[in-house]
Amino acid sequence: TNNPIVLGNNKVTIYGKATANTGYNTPVLKHGSTGMTASGSTFTVNAKETVASTSTVNTYTVTYNSNKPSGASANVSGSTADSTHTYNVAKNLTTNGYSLAGYTFAGWNSKADGTGTSCTDGQSVTNLSSTNGATVTLYAKWTVNTATVTIRKNNSNWSSSGMNIALYQSGTSIA
């Protein structure tokens, strides 16, 4: 028969295989606590029973990798909690909890080298995965903090004697 589900003589028969829409689990034809998805499955129903097709939406986990730059001498500190997302439902990413001396956090990327899809901190996202139970890893992006040093000529003479230059990270005090 060409019909995927046939009702008759108090029986329900499935022909073919039930397929799920993107982002949803394979649908199951439910009869009480009995579920069937295989071709040729049959069960008997009474006139007052309900038969329903059920499918649940997929969920996935987003993990956040601190992604220490190769040139960084300090270790990344802090943590960022994983977040659970539901397909077709917008949700904000977890706010960054990492810090790295000499660097500024610059968002997230789907690839460690920064060539993937970028997201801002706490951005609302939808459908990073359509696979149920998947884990999506986002990698921290870092930009190195820079400083500009200007040396000026004093009394027409250039001299380096007695000159000490030290760079300090913003927010630190100099004794």
Side-chain angles (χ1 to χ4, degrees):
T1 181
N2 291 332
N3 295 326
I5 300 174
V6 177
L7 304 172
N9 297 327
N10 290 340
K11 291 191 186 287
V12 175
T13 305
I14 295 179
Y15 294 96
K17 183 171 181 350
T19 57
N21 290 326
T22 300
Y24 294 82
N25 290 313
T26 301
V28 176
L29 194 59
K30 289 280 191 179
H31 169 251
S33 62
T34 304
M36 60 183 199
T37 58
S39 179
S41 296
T42 303
F43 58 74
T44 303
V45 294
N46 296 320
K48 293 185 179 183
E49 288 182 296
T50 300
V51 177
S53 174
T54 62
S55 181
T56 56
V57 65
N58 291 340
T59 60
Y60 57 93
T61 301
V62 176
T63 62
Y64 303 87
N65 183 297
S66 62
N67 199 28
K68 178 183 172 183
S70 60
S73 58
N75 288 323
V76 177
S77 62
S79 64
T80 302
D82 294 351
S83 55
T84 301
H85 296 253
T86 303
Y87 188 80
N88 267 350
V89 176
K91 183 175 179 179
N92 291 348
L93 296 173
T94 303
T95 302
N96 174 50
Y98 297 120
S99 62
L100 178 58
Y103 289 79
T104 299
F105 176 75
W108 302 104
N109 196 280
S110 60
K111 292 186 179 180
D113 65 4
T115 61
T117 302
S118 290
C119 301
T120 58
D121 197 23
Q123 179 178 330
S124 178
V125 296
T126 307
N127 302 343
L128 296 180
S129 177
S130 61
T131 304
N132 193 44
T135 299
V136 174
T137 302
L138 294 178
Y139 299 88
K141 297 188 311 182
W142 300 99
T143 55
V144 66
N145 295 340
T146 60
T148 301
V149 176
T150 304
I151 300 173
R152 297 182 187 220
K153 188 175 178 183
N154 185 10
N155 296 326
S156 301
N157 296 319
W158 288 97
S159 172
S160 61
S161 64
M163 184 184 303
N164 292 315
I165 299 174
L167 301 178
Y168 296 90
Q169 183 174 347
S170 176
T172 61
S173 60
I174 300 173

